[in-house]
Amino acid sequence: MKALLIKDLMTMKKYSMGILYGFIIIVFVNLISEKIYFEQMVPMLMYMMCVQTLTTITYDEYDNGYPLLFTLPFTRTQYVLSKYVLSILSILPIIIVWLIYSLIIGANIQMIFISLLLYIFASSLYIPIYLYFGSAKSTVAMVLLSFIIIGSIALLFNLVGFATIIKLLQGFKVIMVSIGVLLFMLMSILISRAVMLKKDF
Amino acid sequence: MLKMQNVKKTYKDFQLDVSLEIKSGTVVGLLGENGSGKTTVFKALLGLISIDEGSIYSVEDKNDVGVVFSDSMLSQYYTVKDISTILKAFYKHFDEKFFLTKAVEMKLPLKKTIKKFSTGMKAKLKVLMALSHQAKVLILDEPTTGLDISARMDIYDMLRDYMEEDESRTILISSHITNDLDTLCDEIYIINDGKINFHEDIDRINETYGLIKCSEKEWQTLDKQFISNYCKEKWGYGAITNEKQFYLENYPKMIIENINLDDILLMNIKGERL
């Protein structure tokens, strides 16, 4: 799996300028503003890193790359696991910087933890979609899925009421949510593995 | 050894149904026209596609296999140096010095992205990638596509050197350019419409096979026991025999020519079997 991560990090290096621009914008906005927007913009950066992980799948697949790639010495399961490991590794620097920043200014670090859980949830949702549909069709699939999720949430709010939902969510302990997200990630890995094991290249 | 026994794979408009065996230490050519199933055979051998029936005995350790696909490559945003780093991470026995030295010899720019390479440069790079990690088996699907005669000869020289280094090494190679395979291969398989319909040693083809050309009248009286394929032409009949000497002795006035792989391939595609 180390070799797969090296390959993906080399791919990410190719478009690292985009990530760097994101950092520069955040720093610039914070410097010229009276108010610090770091906590608001970091989740956006994390979302960008999720997209970068998905982009490595695009680069692997692009121009019929899969047949040759999958003759290299690794298993399909290792390939799947490497994408999840990459998605976590790629946001570690952001988490560490955010943690240090929060500790310095004495901010609440719960936001970091919630953002991390949301990030894991999003990666776990998107990776199997990308692997199944391929990069071209998965954009459409993700847009449709986003509409379904947003529509379902809106419907739920209409039926049950916003206050009731917030009260319900506040009842969930962080540990329960964390376990739920990790279980969701495990399910995602199993689905991704099943997709890749069945795939013909 | 590589072996496919009664392997079947069905697609919407195509069915593969093959059995073949490639012994260690041999160079085997797989010939066929476009869409005949050559790439499907290679993908089945490499485990890239599932099969519906049959059994495949292939190399267990992917470190021991070097592969070229004419239409597949790692991301074209990599450079030769990037590919060297990546292959070094993947393969136990990747020879980085050999890879980079040969790349320079082949005039492949080390820091230019593959996207900017010509077709010939990409083809050379693919073969180099396959040859750089001490593979025991090479599976090469039209490795010389897009190369001129000089570049093709360079590639075949590299393949000969590869075989000479270790007698147990094996190559399975497909190509449209049949004349190139004549001097490289020990055996030939011909695949047509998903089925193997010819298999022979190159030496035997050169020694005992012949191309008979005869008139309609001659065809009617010809002893056909050693005829495998025939084709009706405007001038009469063309036919392949695997016992050229029999016809030379018994039909001294008949035109019997030495045969080449092109003739055999064409006769298998366009001709009829007896």
Side-chain angles (χ1 to χ4, degrees):
Chain A
M1 208 198 306
K2 183 177 138 192
L4 285 162
L5 291 170
I6 290 171
K7 174 187 70 65
D8 285 339
L9 288 170
M10 293 199 70
T11 304
M12 286 171 93
K13 208 172 77 169
K14 298 287 168 190
Y15 49 85
S16 56
M17 291 311 289
I19 302 161
L20 189 62
Y21 291 144
F23 271 115
I24 291 169
I25 290 166
I26 287 176
V27 168
F28 182 69
V29 166
N30 280 284
L31 283 173
I32 63 168
S33 304
E34 287 177 6
K35 194 178 172 198
I36 302 286
Y37 289 101
F38 188 75
E39 288 109 336
Q40 286 80 17
M41 297 191 94
V42 171
M44 200 168 70
L45 255 183
M46 290 171 76
Y47 177 76
M48 276 170 63
M49 294 316 295
C50 178
V51 171
Q52 303 310 329
T53 303
L54 299 176
T55 307
T56 64
I57 299 173
T58 304
Y59 273 64
D60 288 342
E61 191 203 8
Y62 184 70
D63 221 11
N64 197 35
Y66 269 158
L68 186 64
L69 179 65
F70 278 87
T71 64
L72 298 184
F74 59 85
T75 64
R76 295 186 188 205
T77 303
Q78 284 171 329
Y79 179 80
V80 165
L81 287 173
S82 72
K83 296 303 177 190
Y84 289 86
V85 169
L86 180 72
S87 74
I88 301 295
L89 285 178
S90 60
I91 55 147
L92 274 182
I94 299 169
I95 296 289
I96 291 167
V97 166
W98 195 3
L99 201 61
I100 294 169
Y101 169 82
S102 300
L103 289 170
I104 289 170
I105 67 162
N108 187 351
I109 62 168
Q110 198 177 38
M111 184 68 178
I112 302 172
F113 191 66
I114 292 167
S115 297
L116 180 60
L117 288 177
L118 279 170
Y119 173 84
I120 293 171
F121 180 80
S123 295
S124 304
L125 188 64
Y126 293 145
I127 289 174
I129 291 173
Y130 253 67
L131 291 175
Y132 182 79
F133 288 103
S135 54
K137 290 181 193 168
S138 55
T139 314
V140 175
M142 278 163 63
V143 166
L144 279 171
L145 187 66
S146 302
F147 273 121
I148 291 168
I149 292 170
I150 293 165
S152 305
I153 293 169
L155 187 66
L156 197 65
F157 279 160
N158 277 332
L159 288 171
V160 176
F162 184 76
T164 312
I165 300 287
I166 296 299
K167 204 174 169 184
L168 193 70
L169 286 173
Q170 280 171 345
F172 282 114
K173 298 219 182 296
V174 172
I175 188 89
M176 282 167 60
V177 174
S178 305
I179 290 169
V181 168
L182 289 174
L183 283 174
F184 183 74
M185 188 181 189
L186 181 63
M187 196 172 72
S188 169
I189 290 171
L190 292 172
I191 291 169
S192 297
R193 183 175 173 269
V195 163
M196 291 309 281
L197 285 176
K198 268 196 98 171
K199 227 176 174 55
D200 279 354
F201 298 119
Chain B
M1 186 177 75
L2 307 172
K3 199 171 172 182
M4 295 174 80
Q5 264 182 330
N6 304 314
V7 169
K8 290 193 174 101
K9 172 76 177 176
T10 306
Y11 292 100
K12 206 168 112 184
D13 304 319
F14 175 81
Q15 190 189 49
L16 185 79
D17 183 0
V18 298
S19 294
L20 55 81
E21 188 175 319
I22 292 123
K23 298 182 206 68
S24 293
T26 58
V27 181
V28 176
L30 181 64
L31 304 180
E33 56 178 351
N34 289 332
S36 57
K38 300 188 297 295
T39 304
T40 311
V41 165
F42 286 19
K43 286 184 175 179
L45 264 174
L46 291 163
L48 295 174
I49 59 173
S50 56
I51 56 173
D52 300 326
E53 274 180 59
S55 51
I56 296 177
Y57 303 93
S58 190
V59 183
E60 279 178 18
D61 186 354
K62 285 187 186 181
N63 276 288
D64 293 333
V65 185
V67 180
V68 171
F69 283 114
S70 61
D71 62 350
S72 180
M73 183 53 174
L74 298 183
S75 172
Q76 303 214 16
Y77 293 93
Y78 293 138
T79 64
V80 171
K81 285 217 92 175
D82 292 336
I83 289 187
S84 178
T85 306
I86 289 166
L87 295 183
K88 191 175 170 185
F90 275 108
Y91 288 108
K92 285 181 206 167
H93 306 296
F94 180 68
D95 189 340
E96 190 178 16
K97 192 177 170 190
F98 169 83
F99 181 80
L100 292 172
T101 308
K102 277 285 178 190
V104 169
E105 267 177 37
M106 289 172 160
K107 299 187 174 62
L108 301 175
L110 299 185
K111 293 184 182 174
K112 204 174 174 182
T113 57
I114 299 165
K115 204 171 155 54
K116 295 176 185 162
F117 279 19
S118 66
T119 309
M121 287 162 84
K122 287 179 192 174
K124 287 183 194 176
L125 177 59
K126 286 180 200 176
V127 173
L128 186 54
M129 285 165 64
L131 287 172
S132 299
H133 59 270
Q134 311 293 325
K136 291 180 185 162
V137 176
L138 293 184
I139 295 179
L140 312 174
D141 187 17
E142 305 202 20
T144 56
T145 301
L147 295 181
D148 57 39
I149 176 105
S150 167
R152 290 204 316 271
M153 291 304 116
D154 288 341
I155 297 292
Y156 292 130
D157 284 342
M158 283 174 69
L159 294 178
R160 284 189 196 94
D161 291 342
Y162 163 83
M163 289 299 288
E164 276 169 22
E165 280 171 18
D166 186 340
E167 281 178 357
S168 66
R169 286 176 174 170
T170 308
I171 299 177
L172 174 61
I173 181 170
S174 74
S175 179
H176 284 125
I177 308 166
T178 50
N179 292 335
D180 288 354
L181 297 190
D182 218 331
T183 51
L184 182 69
C185 296
D186 302 309
E187 293 172 39
I188 289 289
Y189 282 88
I190 292 178
I191 184 168
N192 187 32
D193 201 22
K195 290 177 179 52
I196 300 283
N197 57 12
F198 182 84
H199 170 224
E200 192 56 89
D201 284 350
I202 289 285
D203 287 341
R204 192 162 146 70
I205 291 172
N206 290 332
E207 284 162 13
T208 67
Y209 274 68
L211 180 64
I212 295 170
K213 290 179 176 174
C214 61
S215 64
E216 176 90 42
K217 198 175 169 187
E218 285 170 319
W219 178 251
Q220 300 303 331
T221 56
L222 186 70
D223 182 345
K224 299 180 182 66
Q225 63 173 310
F226 299 115
I227 302 289
S228 57
N229 298 71
Y230 70 95
C231 185
K232 190 162 180 6
E233 306 283 2
K234 286 177 189 166
W235 37 264
Y237 282 84
I240 294 177
T241 174
N242 58 357
E243 289 296 340
K244 183 171 62 177
Q245 199 54 39
F246 171 81
Y247 291 97
L248 282 169
E249 285 167 7
N250 291 285
Y251 299 89
K253 290 184 181 172
M254 197 168 285
I255 300 170
I256 299 161
E257 295 174 351
N258 288 329
I259 200 166
N260 59 37
L261 291 179
D262 267 335
D263 298 322
I264 297 175
L265 180 61
L266 268 169
M267 202 60 83
N268 272 277
I269 294 167
K270 307 257 184 257
E272 317 253 356
R273 286 188 79 86
L274 259 180

